[in-house]
Amino acid sequence: MAVTKSLYTGAEITWCRLCGNFGLMSAFAWAVEELSDTIPLEKFVILSGIGCHGKIVDYIDLNSFYSIHGRAPATATGIKLANPELYPVCFVGDGDIYAEGVSHLIFSAKRNSDITVIVHDNRSYSLTTGQFTPTSPSIFKGKSTPEGPPEDPLNPIALMLEAGATFVARGYAGYTDHLKELVKQAILHKGFSFIDVLQPCVVFFNTYEFYNQHVYKLEDVGHDPTDYEQAYRRAKEWDYNSEDVKIPIGVFYKTEKPTYEERV
Amino acid sequence: MAVTKSLYTGAEITWCRLCGNFGLMSAFAWAVEELSDTIPLEKFVILSGIGCHGKIVDYIDLNSFYSIHGRAPATATGIKLANPELYPVCFVGDGDIYAEGVSHLIFSAKRNSDITVIVHDNRSYSLTTGQFTPTSPSIFKGKSTPEGPPEDPLNPIALMLEAGATFVARGYAGYTDHLKELVKQAILHKGFSFIDVLQPCVVFFNTYEFYNQHVYKLEDVGHDPTDYEQAYRRAKEWDYNSEDVKIPIGVFYKTEKPTYEERV
Amino acid sequence: MEKTIIIGGKAGAGIKEAGRMLAGVLANLGYHVFGYVDYPSLIRGGHNFVTLRFSEEPVNSVDRKADIIVATDGRSIRAHEEDAKEGTVWLINEKEQKEGAVKVPFKEVAPGFFKSSSVLGAVLKLLGIPLEEGLPFILSLPQREKNERIYREAYNSVDSMFEVKRAGERKGEIVTGNESVALGAVDGGLDFYIAYPMTPASPVLHYLAKRKSEFGIKVVHPENEIGVINMAVGVAYAGKRSMVGTSGGGFALMTETLSLIGMSETPIVIYEAQRAGPSTGVPTYTAQADLLFVTFAGHGDFPRVVVAPGTPEEAYLLMRDSLNIAWRYQVPVLILGDKHLGESYFLADIKREKVVEEPKLWKGNGEYRRYEITEDGISPLAFPGQEGIVVKGTSYEHDERGITVEDAKLVKRMQDKRLKKGETLREYILSREDAVVVGGNESSKKVIVTWGSTWGTALDVAKELGFKVVRPLFLEPFPADKLREEIGTAELVVSLECSASGQFERLLNMHGIKSHRNIRKYDGRPFFRDELAEMLGEV
Amino acid sequence: MEKTIIIGGKAGAGIKEAGRMLAGVLANLGYHVFGYVDYPSLIRGGHNFVTLRFSEEPVNSVDRKADIIVATDGRSIRAHEEDAKEGTVWLINEKEQKEGAVKVPFKEVAPGFFKSSSVLGAVLKLLGIPLEEGLPFILSLPQREKNERIYREAYNSVDSMFEVKRAGERKGEIVTGNESVALGAVDGGLDFYIAYPMTPASPVLHYLAKRKSEFGIKVVHPENEIGVINMAVGVAYAGKRSMVGTSGGGFALMTETLSLIGMSETPIVIYEAQRAGPSTGVPTYTAQADLLFVTFAGHGDFPRVVVAPGTPEEAYLLMRDSLNIAWRYQVPVLILGDKHLGESYFLADIKREKVVEEPKLWKGNGEYRRYEITEDGISPLAFPGQEGIVVKGTSYEHDERGITVEDAKLVKRMQDKRLKKGETLREYILSREDAVVVGGNESSKKVIVTWGSTWGTALDVAKELGFKVVRPLFLEPFPADKLREEIGTAELVVSLECSASGQFERLLNMHGIKSHRNIRKYDGRPFFRDELAEMLGEV
Ligand SMILES: Cc1ncc(C[n+]2csc(CCOP(=O)(O)OP(=O)(O)O)c2C)c(N)n1
Ligand SMILES: Cc1ncc(C[n+]2csc(CCOP(=O)(O)OP(=O)(O)O)c2C)c(N)n1
Ligand code: SF4
Ligand code: SF4
Ligand SMILES: [Mg+2]
Ligand SMILES: [Mg+2]
């Protein structure tokens, strides 16, 4: 059990042992607990796509909408429009939101809808037993592409910067405390918040070791998240394919802009 | 009639008088004629989305597939996969491909599918009588948003650079000869080619005067289209909203990469 | 006095406006009037026309053949040659030639309104209607002075050939089906209208966007139809009333989410205005060929309502009801309209009244269960944000709390709950007085069975040909017994529809109702009165 | 000898592999065998199981109650308590406790194969099957030495309790419906398989992706289902055979393009493997509740074929035919399968043969017209790239060249052409010998009418209970007359389906066929033989 008792529904957790989703869920639950002074629990609404990641809404005892594949951000936008006091947080997959639902992701960012999107980026369609996704590297030999993907990965950080997201971060499910802080900032940020979470999938793409070796924190190098140019350069340091580079985690960019809910 | 007799189907042309689509069609027909030494006419397949722009396939007497709203690039990819000798050219709308079909656009770029996408970017859903699109500026008061769009425009040039397009250009329907050259280069380019064409819509967004005043040619300022950083900076010069800046047209970026058809 | 008038001209030349103003004048004079609007898919040029029929008796359709043809350009003359009959009066542009035609200086000042002013002036004079009757319309146009001058000039350039006198009190307002849908939604408590542009549903979007402050609603235009419907789901989950509008192709994109709506029991209203398909088809023309698609769309089994208004009054009332039904039963309600209902000009007397029914709300204490199993299958609603409770909606099969289940017994249990809710819903729909409506010669043994907007023409021919007309307002749940009752011991049952494959007939068959003949039209045009009379004459 | 064996354990522990290997051994011994595969939507842990039934007589279904239950973990013991009957033999993990159970050292070396080797060893010994019979399967596993050691160890740890002797010649191979679909496609001339992953259709994607070089095809996995189907359209327009595979939710996303396929007359095959809905539902379980959706999906009227195989042989043949039919008539062909057909283990004798029929090709000179109006409604095909001609496909209503039309007469003309083509297609389908298949006691007055994979269980109970079983292979065009003929003067007609709302029954009704009773299952599981026998006993 990766959440404290009060936040746990009691549903059987069916993630694989050591799955990165545990770390991600802990970080979120921890963030919610720490935020609960400012944001009452009933103001959270968590949403999810379909995939291993999606199961998180069954486990956490908060308002939730277990959406369909790729659509959570659209639903979250509707929720926020209908009741601006709520805090919608979408838990989505890399297949889910970089492939099937990429249009909703881009437009949520473009609109600066005041929602948070947390991507369980395991770089695999895992619940469907391991096909390549838009962030799978060339070395990923999935069931639909046994010789590796015939296309290069997307860089979701850069894509979100380009689409107009006002809070753009990358986290690592292996660093729960660091991720917790990102989640808190994302939720508190007024406007569209995006976190791509590097989430090892121990069955189809076990990346713990790789990330442990390659990840570094933007805070540690004095990155200024208010500087778009810097953010963009940092975003480009890793293209989700190379293996011989350092991977920055932390907040790439943060700015203020009127939200969609204010403008509609 | 904006095409020479041999390329004209004889279908009634139902664009408004002075519509930017005439210039765009002329440029394309002209390009095809100039290319016909290298590329026999029967090797062209033109595709389109739904909108005023889409009518072009009814007018030009080449192989064509009049697709549905937003899907032309996916169909073009299928055509190129099935017969790599063909040259699919998609004529799409800004509503069509930046809204409805943005996922196919991004993935065509990501894959470097060897097709050409030409966007009739009139920054309006015109055939449906004038609603705002992803490139409409704040001053555009459309029928669905009489007070102006509640969101800022996308920058498709920057988006396509980010998505991995290997040929990225902007043209202006008012400069037919310049556009013709871009179209030729795009078609000859091996890999995914993208041209955002500034296309004035005289009914819903008449931008001739604005573009005439603001447009400048990248060639004239010594832009190096092989330099991604430069391309990116030039792409960012105009955000599709500002009115007091110069708007570069020409080839922003061009590079070589294996195509999807080679890799699948 | 009964006359059919065609007004034709270029798109962008104000033809629709001219037709609507003329309908307004006739309505003010106490006439019944119906206007058919015909336009191709282009913005300027081409050929648009409006056909108006007016009479002292109710009119719900137009004839093909016109008494008066107003051709504001040369193309209109050619286009309507075959719509003329003996004695047809032609008003043509002064620059054109046609034997016996009256020439009018239709002003060429594009776009739009000036030409509509000259049309109105000329036609009113021709009909012998005083100049003052047209003035209020002209004066509400932009650039009123210029328009007034043009109006007067055209009025004075023509001689009167008819004497259209006042025909009593004004019977209603000129409205379109789309406007009625929009007003019905507002009066049913709509909070959010969410739509992506698509003919012929877009006018609802435009109408509501323009008046959103007045109506106190939000109007949202997202990136595509999938975004639309999923946003609407979010709004409803959070407790606000949402509705979407689209046509067949856009609806198709929503069908995955329709199934989610069924599973998550989210109250959503979908307005589907049919147009001529398949695919892009003939996008500005009409059809009734999405019937089976809409009735059975979405994977898996879940209850839904499909309702098809045939008049603007029904569009208003059923739309208003739809929001209440969606929320009472937590189901998707699909309003199936079409271009003919949506964009034609009707004379209607809509009595507006806000009717917003409170749904079954959770008033309990303790643990809230979103999918509580109850006797009628309807679980009490609560919304996120309420202290102390957790609201879990889901696309997966689930237990009462909304947590995923896969166990056979639990799966069946929740399926049974939804079946039960479907039964409760069915009982309600079938018990409605208006589940089936009838008209025409009600004691006749010859019965026309039809649906949706085809009602208008059916009604108009029924009387003269001695038919009874029967029409289900609800297509799902289907009021088969009521329909059978109304058909009774008919000797001739004719089903009538705008579908090449006879979709309505097949739906009737599914419910055990057989017609002896099926009349189908599928050229994008509605049935015209004279045309249908002929077709029925042959039966 | 007839036995039912359940093998249960954690996902990732090789349960499916164990079941399949055991089925293979039994098949090699000349037995008929059928395997039901049950797994929840998770990757590791939880509880999976396979139920195998084998017999000297044909078997097409399993019983709920098993003769042997192999529980490789504690959870499996609890999960299958209620599947035991008197005399059931339990094989359990040595670390667990259960009275009277045989203990086996099921090796815990995750993931997968080692455990399947120990299961196979223990079960073979229990059944009295020689160790050598299992070896070929074990030796084809990865890490063969380790697996062989484990296999032998398990074999030796158990005592034989049955004597399963050779039952004659081997009758066929163990295959799944999905594999049969894949092979049928290849032998029908498939060039491109395009799909986005979705249970239970994904195995076709994986199977073909792995063997694409061997089969000389391309396999493409695009960004989403809308990309999938539109890419497939491009491939077919360019003259290559394409097919897509998905389940209900993915199919929903394709419905806009389905209508485009109808309008543009593009030959496309869609494999839709149903699972338990609505919405995400119970994604790894089975259902037959997309029937009406698939049959009527897409806006507007256009011809299509819906075909539902019930066995792997049919899946192979009908899939192969589907590609030829799609190309002969230039229509969408929908193969409606389900998880039960797709993922169960069947013993099948599939005789592979490539059958790729040449479609009606344009052999003319001069101007090519893509939508030429012909007597049978089928326009000759040509593809882009051919010198001197222009091939124009379109989503709009069009003239013979493929250029947009809006004129009423021209619209009707092309609609009529497609209707005509639909008639030609209908004649062909209805004339097929196999449009309706029958089984069971063919002279009985008690008839079960069913479709798709439910056939298996129906067949297995029909004989013992004296029922005839009748099943349409084609759902659209629907072979109503043939079906009626086969039902004949039955005194009892029972329709049987996995749909909560009785979709098949409603389709029967639409075609004038009434059943006296409808048996429905909708808990995600197929009908089990003992269960169905009981249900039918009550009729
Ligand atoms: C429309 C649709 N298409 C396909 C699927 C099948 N599907 C379920 S989960 C999934 C993969 C999800 O991958 P990802 O989003 O990366 O989630 P993960 O399992 O890796 O957490 C897919 C394709 C679906 N549920 N709906
Ligand atoms: C799925 C779907 N949704 C909506 C429409 C309606 N539609 C037709 S054209 C169009 C607008 C096109 O705008 P754009 O692509 O910018 O083309 P333009 O008319 O400006 O050239 C829309 C929304 C459609 N045809 N299909
Ligand atoms: S398959 Fe991968 S992502 Fe899914 S639960 Fe297991 S480890 Fe986690
Ligand atoms: S409406 Fe605009 S885009 Fe369409 S034809 Fe007219 S000018 Fe061109
Ligand atoms: Mg993933
Ligand atoms: Mg546009």
Side-chain angles (χ1 to χ4, degrees), chain A residues 15 19 21 49-55 67-71 92-100 119-135 199 201 204, chain C residues 256 299 395-396, chain D residues 41 43 196-199 202 221 224-225 246-253 275 279-280 283:
Chain A
W15 287 325
C19 172
N21 283 324
I50 303 300
C52 291
H53 66 272
K55 299 181 175 193
S67 182
I68 50 177
H69 188 46
R71 316 303 172 193
V92 297
D94 49 327
D96 189 64
I97 212 62
Y98 300 144
E100 184 78 74
V119 184
H120 300 224
D121 192 354
N122 54 8
R123 307 165 72 198
S124 157
Y125 288 86
S126 289
L127 191 58
T128 49
T129 75
Q131 299 84 9
F132 90 107
T133 73
T135 52
Q199 177 241 309
C201 164
F204 299 110
Chain C
E256 190 204 0
H299 52 295
S395 71
Y396 272 93
Chain D
S41 185
I43 302 300
Y196 188 81
M198 190 159 195
T199 308
S202 307
H221 164 182
N224 54 37
E225 287 87 351
T246 186
S247 187
F251 173 73
L253 293 168
R275 62 192 216 185
S279 202
T280 313

Side-chain angles (χ1 to χ4, degrees), chain B residues 113-161:
Chain B
S113 183
D114 186 13
I115 62 173
T116 298
V117 171
I118 298 176
V119 185
H120 301 223
D121 192 355
N122 55 7
R123 306 165 72 198
S124 157
Y125 288 86
S126 288
L127 192 57
T128 48
T129 75
Q131 300 83 8
F132 89 107
T133 73
T135 52
S136 301
S138 310
I139 56 157
F140 183 91
K141 310 232 177 304
K143 286 203 178 125
S144 60
T145 52
E147 296 136 28
E151 46 190 295
D152 300 334
L154 277 180
N155 182 335
I157 301 289
L159 194 70
M160 283 293 92
L161 284 174

